Amino acid sequence: MALPTSMKAFDVAVVGEVYIDHVFSGLESWPRPGEEVLSRGYVREPGGGTVNTACGLARLGRCVHLFGLVGAIDLPWFTARLGSFGVSTQNLRAHPAGTGVTASASMADDRGFFTYKGANTDLGQLLTDEDVIADLCAARHVHFALPLERTIAQRLLPRLERAGCTTSLDVGFSPEWLSNPVNRDTCLEVDYFLPNQKECGLLLDGGHDDAYAAFVREEGFGHGVLKLGPEGALGIDREHLWRVKPPRVNVRDTTGAGDAFDAGFIDALLDGRDLNTCLERACICGALCATEAGALAGLPDIHQLGSFHEQTYRR
């Protein structure tokens, strides 16, 4: 049973990979080898699912602590930029390998990435630090934005459960992790596993919506979530299946939309909402994120979220 809110130090711990994002948007096509394609927009921001989800939750008024590794030279910039969203960076640590870097190339309907992992390769060591674990246990909810190593999950998830934390996991596009059957137990052991369709295909060797619903029920998940991009999201429990459409928006850049979805979903969970409402809030956050270049500029605040929810899902 989760501890009462008054006994927890803060709302959400978001832990995982942190990057400097270089986002090129408004591309008309992908370049072939030897070709150059001009971008209509460019943004440099702190990025990665950890940053994007943490900022999304902070914009919605949640008390959020970010856990990750960056290069020492970049730490003041991250602290200032994330602090402008209200995200605590007291658990963002300097690492000699330097900050990870991602270049994102985005068209209206898809995007691609080039990534250098940098300090993120040592996140496993961070998650075995007893001081870090104690701080994670002080959160109401812990969101993992990384391919969580099985051995770490086996040690860490039971401790978080005993501390009264709920948990969620978004591993991102991690083919090796998703195709390894041993990690299915981790998907089952977190409270909410949050894949998209491409990741689902890797997890189930090509299966998508119906196959994922069957997988969730056969494996004994309490509930399942599948992000469907412009089609919204799928929610599954033992008796029901929901399909939630997103609001209509003018899409500029889809970078970080799935991470914003996670933020909206977790925000609704913290309010004790049912799965369908969690999906609705998540779809709004993902859609609004895509209306601006980069992952952070389009993140909604609580008033925008409420307004769009009323307009889109009024019953």
Side-chain angles (χ1 to χ4, degrees), residues 21 46-57 255-256 259-260 263 295-296 299:
D21 274 359
T50 308
V51 166
N52 301 339
T53 300
C55 289
L57 282 159
T255 301
D259 306 322
L296 303 183
L299 293 170

Side-chain angles (χ1 to χ4, degrees), residues 2 8-16 49-50 53-54 57 63-68 91 126-127 132-146 148 152-153 156-170 186 189-194 262-263 265-267 269-270:
K8 289 291 189 175
F10 57 98
D11 292 320
V12 188
V14 184
V15 54
T50 308
T53 300
L57 282 159
C63 181
V64 184
H65 289 213
L66 184 146
F67 294 70
N91 282 292
L126 181 73
L127 291 174
V132 169
I133 294 171
D135 285 343
L136 291 174
C137 288
R140 295 174 62 194
H141 182 91
V142 179
H143 176 67
F144 295 96
L146 77 163
L148 188 62
I152 293 174
L156 182 56
L157 293 177
R159 292 186 63 174
L160 294 175
E161 183 178 11
R162 290 194 297 271
C165 308
T166 53
T167 54
S168 54
L169 172 65
D170 185 341
T186 300
E189 290 162 3
V190 294
D191 293 300
Y192 296 91
F193 177 53
L194 303 170
D262 296 347
F265 189 89
I266 295 165
D267 178 66
L269 281 179
L270 293 172

